[in-house]
Amino acid sequence: MSLLPLEDLPGPLPVSTTGPTPVPVPVATPTLTPVPVPVSLRLPSAARLATRVLALLPLLLIAVWAAVDWRAMYEGTARLASADPWWLLAAFFFTCLGWGTAALVRQGAVPERLPTGLLIASQFAAGAANHALPASIGAHAVTLRFLQGRGIPLARATASLALYSLVRPIAKTLVLIVFLVAFPEMLRFGQLVPAGWSLVLALGGLGTALATAAVLLTAVPRLRRPALRGVRTALTDVRQLHTMPSRILALWGGAAAAPVLQATVIFSVGASLGLPLSWAQVVLAFLAASTAVGAVPAPGGIGPVDAATVFTMVAFGAPMDLATASVIGYRVLTVWVPLLPGALLLSALVHRKVL
């Protein structure tokens, strides 16, 4: 321990000035190179670009279709200009009921409760896509995106589309049988049964499709596993749906009412032009024609179903020009009139990410 009284020192010790003055050593400061700040360019992402393309695609398809099929639209519109407006208003009313019926069948194919307004809007927009792609691919794609947007998994949404596609032809065939039983004197089998070669082609096409599907499922395991999983999901949903009376009524009742409403539109247009056929005859003609050639993968059924409907109405005694004008007017009301609004609604639903 030191004996010096350090605590009594007045302050810090003075710095000695006798030595040499220290020279400050310069410290090298690193030169900082300015780094350019990246400018955030708001380039559209892939999802945003795809959304814009999908929003404009329906309008492009309408333009292409109008350029290809302009003659039918012109002739049908010219014919409708001289028709009875009240019957045309009735035809437009039944056309609107058809969109509601399509939404009813879609609701009946899923157990979950779907929002009514968005469901009807999606089916109205799906009509525009359905008339641009064959075999209802466009409508199924729109409905699939809508169901996924409502939180339904992909497997169950796909099973819903499969159930919808299966129920509609079954219900149409049942309605056709009911009409045949109720009006047996109307159907002229000798004129409406297809020729031998047509029947062979139809059965050959069906057999080829079934054989191709069986070969693919057998030879490609990657297809077999998802197909079996989808079948199991579909069977589970079918069992659940058929324990719910509201879904049974919506699914089967809507599927049975849809072709009757379509035929009623044709009858209303024909009545506005003076077509000499009863409502039952027109409905039976449309049911027979769409059942016979409805499986042909044409966009919206346009083409084969139209020709077969005209042929069947002529077989019932309608003049060829009036039968053709009635079907053309039906296509104008159900395809051309709602096509542009449906495409605009489809673009809006895509833009708002509903689809």
Side-chain angles (χ1 to χ4, degrees):
M1 184 175 181
S2 174
L3 300 177
L4 294 176
L6 296 178
E7 63 275 7
D8 297 334
L9 291 178
L13 296 175
V15 180
S16 172
T17 56
T18 57
T21 305
V23 179
V25 179
V27 179
T29 2
T31 306
L32 298 177
T33 307
V35 179
V37 179
V39 181
S40 62
L41 298 177
R42 291 194 172 181
L43 295 176
S45 62
R48 192 180 307 169
L49 184 60
T51 301
R52 292 178 181 177
V53 171
L54 289 175
L56 296 177
L57 183 59
L59 303 179
L60 179 61
L61 291 176
I62 289 178
V64 173
W65 195 9
V68 172
D69 202 25
W70 66 272
R71 185 179 297 276
M73 184 183 67
Y74 173 76
E75 291 177 357
T77 307
R79 269 286 194 177
L80 292 177
S82 60
D84 186 353
W86 292 107
W87 275 113
L88 290 183
L89 185 61
F92 180 72
F93 171 74
F94 289 118
T95 302
C96 296
L97 285 183
W99 301 323
T101 304
L104 189 66
V105 181
R106 297 290 188 184
Q107 174 63 84
V110 291
E112 290 83 359
R113 179 69 178 173
L114 301 174
T116 305
L118 286 179
L119 178 60
I120 296 177
S122 70
Q123 293 310 294
F124 182 71
N130 186 43
H131 297 306
L133 295 173
S136 300
I137 295 177
H140 288 335
V142 172
T143 305
L144 183 65
R145 293 296 302 166
F146 174 75
L147 294 178
Q148 286 187 281
R150 306 281 72 77
I152 298 177
L154 178 60
R156 296 189 55 245
T158 307
S160 165
L161 299 183
L163 179 62
Y164 173 88
S165 303
L166 181 64
V167 165
R168 287 194 64 183
I170 294 176
K172 184 189 296 184
T173 305
L174 294 177
V175 174
L176 176 60
I177 293 174
V178 170
F179 267 81
L180 292 179
V181 173
F183 307 99
E185 72 283 354
M186 289 187 184
L187 190 59
R188 303 172 184 179
F189 288 98
Q191 295 178 350
L192 296 181
V193 172
W197 63 270
S198 301
L199 193 59
V200 169
L201 286 178
L203 294 177
L206 180 61
T208 303
L210 293 177
T212 304
V215 169
L216 287 176
L217 292 178
T218 304
V220 185
R222 291 185 178 180
L223 290 179
R224 186 168 60 250
R225 282 190 290 269
L228 293 177
R229 192 183 310 118
V231 169
R232 285 193 295 267
T233 304
L235 292 177
T236 302
D237 280 1
V238 166
R239 285 195 296 267
Q240 181 180 359
L241 286 170
H242 284 81
T243 61
M244 307 169 66
S246 60
R247 296 298 185 267
I248 296 175
L249 181 61
L251 182 63
W252 290 98
V260 177
L261 286 174
Q262 290 175 298
T264 306
V265 175
I266 298 178
F267 168 75
S268 301
V269 175
S272 71
L273 299 172
L275 185 72
L277 292 181
S278 65
W279 173 79
Q281 287 176 316
V282 175
V283 173
L284 189 54
F286 178 77
L287 289 173
S290 58
T291 303
V293 298
V296 178
I302 298 176
V305 174
D306 294 346
T309 303
V310 171
F311 172 79
T312 312
M313 288 196 296
V314 170
F316 282 143
M320 175 65 77
D321 57 342
L322 287 181
T324 305
S326 300
V327 174
I328 290 177
Y330 160 75
R331 286 302 179 187
V332 169
L333 281 177
T334 58
V335 175
W336 283 105
V337 170
L339 190 58
L340 182 59
L344 293 176
L345 180 59
L346 178 60
S347 302
L349 292 177
V350 171
H351 183 69
R352 293 178 179 272
K353 299 181 180 180
V354 176
L355 303 178

